[in-house]
Amino acid sequence: MKIYTAPMAGITDYSFRKILKKFEPDFLFTEMVNANLLNREDGTTVNELLKCDEKEKTGTQIFGGDRNELVSGIFKLKDFGFRKININMGCPQPKITKNGAGSALLENFELVEEVLLETKDIEADISLKIRVGYREFQNPEIFLKLANKYNLDFICVHGRTQEQMYSGTANWEIVERLSKMPRNIEFFGNGDLFDPFEIKQKISFCNLDGIILSRGIIGNPWLILQTREFLKFGKINTIQTFDETKSIVLEHLENIEENKGKIKAVLEINKFLRPYFKKFWEKNLNKNSEIVTVEDFYDENLKGKIDKIILEKEILEKIKMIKQL
């Protein structure tokens, strides 16, 4: 079972991918890239979103609602050296869908096929990531057939509609049904993959080649190794400890500082701090899983300490406060 990490805007940047890489996913993706900005060679897009040391193990995802921009963008990504290029047909955010991009592409089968036709001979592996519905569209099967027709690298299905955004629960019955349809390409599942035990339950009835972890790895890169261990051996050997968590957070902060400077480092690490540490202050969280993934450590004052660290704007003091947790 392959384990990929998803492209997530504002999350899977160069700094966090260096952390994720330590936990040995089979493949990683950069943040998703705007086709329009890519074709204009926007500095942030080219120099920051696409920063990558190892394109053999890192792909990228493109979004857009214009055929020519998508085609041109895909060829540009290939010229940048990326060999796995995913077309985003899943993003539910209104600011994306209002321009016909993201999950709005589900209603535009003809445009998607035109893009695949024009890129079918490219020296790169093209894939699709879709949701199961958008407005009146409730026929994801046609994109599995399209992926088969053009012999794509893989298709990934997130078991939510656009309207659900990230609320409710992902419909793994639809993922199961689609995964069992005839195909000549790899099939990945996605959606609500937060815990190794629950992941095994969700995928046990599916015919999958892999899964793509997304929100579950924010502040929890241990999920990659733990899921692989549980799926392969039925037990988990890699336990997240409090001291290791502090070490990873400090390394993550250092990565951001090296990549983007002190000011951005102080701000950007904040979105990760609660996810990294919440398991150690939510006492009952460690008891909900059927398996042990986190050491038995609890500090009822930890949330308050983390909130103070988030407010701290001087990097050396922030580092000191993290070390003193």
Side-chain angles (χ1 to χ4, degrees):
M1 179 70 64
K2 295 179 181 179
I3 300 177
Y4 290 4
T5 64
M8 290 181 280
I11 300 295
T12 51
D13 65 355
Y14 178 70
S15 302
F16 187 43
R17 291 200 313 276
K18 288 179 75 172
I19 297 296
L20 294 175
K21 185 179 177 182
K22 297 167 71 72
F23 293 85
E24 303 176 1
D26 293 294
F27 206 80
L28 305 99
F29 281 90
T30 72
E31 299 173 76
M32 65 180 192
V33 175
N34 184 318
N36 178 267
L37 294 178
L38 176 63
N39 288 310
R40 287 161 44 192
E41 297 194 0
D42 169 73
T44 301
T45 299
V46 174
N47 299 322
E48 194 166 296
L49 298 187
L50 295 178
K51 187 173 184 179
C52 179
D53 295 329
E54 190 181 7
K55 294 186 174 71
E56 294 78 14
K57 295 284 287 184
T58 306
T60 191
Q61 183 188 73
I62 190 169
F63 73 92
D66 180 87
R67 176 181 62 84
N68 293 332
E69 285 189 346
L70 282 170
V71 171
S72 177
I74 288 170
F75 276 98
K76 194 172 288 289
L77 290 171
K78 187 270 295 184
D79 291 340
F80 284 146
F82 289 99
R83 290 297 173 263
K84 280 187 184 287
I85 302 168
N86 184 261
I87 300 174
N88 182 302
M89 299 175 59
C91 182
Q93 299 294 340
K95 66 180 180 180
I96 302 295
T97 59
K98 72 178 181 181
N99 297 314
S103 53
L105 278 180
L106 293 168
E107 285 192 323
N108 206 338
F109 178 87
E110 292 78 10
L111 182 151
V112 177
E113 180 159 27
E114 289 171 1
V115 170
L116 296 180
L117 180 62
E118 292 194 46
T119 58
K120 65 182 179 67
D121 295 323
I122 193 173
E123 294 179 358
D125 297 325
I126 308 298
S127 58
L128 302 179
K129 186 172 188 290
I130 71 171
R131 285 204 170 207
V132 296
Y134 176 77
R135 293 182 180 175
E136 300 303 316
F137 175 86
Q138 302 289 334
N139 185 25
E141 293 88 345
I142 64 171
F143 287 104
L144 178 58
K145 294 175 181 177
L146 188 65
N148 281 326
K149 178 178 178 180
Y150 289 93
N151 196 31
L152 299 188
D153 186 22
F154 67 85
I155 187 169
C156 177
V157 178
H158 181 136
R160 279 186 175 86
T161 65
Q162 183 272 336
E163 288 78 8
Q164 283 182 276
M165 297 291 286
Y166 295 101
S167 65
T169 57
N171 189 334
W172 275 82
E173 290 182 2
I174 294 180
V175 176
E176 177 189 348
R177 176 170 58 81
L178 294 173
S179 74
K180 293 178 178 178
M181 290 179 61
R183 68 173 194 269
N184 53 274
I185 63 168
E186 292 192 335
F187 189 107
F188 284 68
N190 175 245
D192 292 347
L193 302 179
F194 296 105
D195 172 89
F197 181 81
E198 292 179 354
I199 289 173
K200 186 171 184 178
Q201 285 187 316
K202 284 182 170 68
I203 71 174
S204 59
F205 298 103
C206 299
N207 180 25
L208 300 181
D209 299 286
I211 55 175
I212 297 187
L213 301 177
S214 49
R215 289 180 297 153
I217 58 172
I218 300 175
N220 186 22
W222 291 267
L223 181 64
I224 300 166
L225 275 177
Q226 291 173 344
T227 298
R228 177 174 288 115
E229 289 171 354
F230 194 64
L231 293 180
K232 192 171 183 179
F233 305 114
K235 63 178 182 177
I236 288 177
N237 298 316
T238 303
I239 304 299
Q240 179 184 354
T241 69
F242 187 71
D243 285 342
E244 185 187 12
T245 301
K246 288 200 299 182
S247 177
I248 288 291
V249 169
L250 290 168
E251 184 177 347
H252 192 169
L253 179 58
E254 181 182 350
N255 290 347
I256 303 173
E257 181 185 0
E258 289 179 356
N259 189 37
K260 301 179 182 179
K262 287 182 172 63
I263 295 175
K264 285 194 174 181
V266 168
L267 295 173
E268 292 194 11
I269 194 63
N270 288 342
K271 68 181 118 180
F272 293 94
L273 288 177
R274 289 193 186 101
Y276 269 125
F277 287 105
K278 70 177 182 179
K279 292 181 181 179
F280 299 106
W281 77 67
E282 294 184 354
K283 189 172 183 179
N284 293 326
L285 192 63
N286 294 331
K287 310 300 181 184
N288 289 339
S289 176
E290 297 287 335
I291 51 177
V292 176
T293 60
V294 185
E295 74 168 337
D296 189 14
F297 175 97
Y298 173 66
D299 182 351
E300 62 182 2
N301 299 314
L302 182 59
K303 185 176 185 299
K305 295 175 185 177
I306 297 301
D307 289 343
K308 288 180 180 179
I309 296 173
I310 289 173
L311 293 174
E312 178 56 50
K313 296 178 181 175
E314 206 285 312
I315 192 164
L316 291 179
E317 184 61 24
K318 210 175 188 89
I319 291 171
K320 179 181 176 182
M321 293 170 74
I322 294 171
K323 288 181 176 180
Q324 291 176 342
L325 286 173

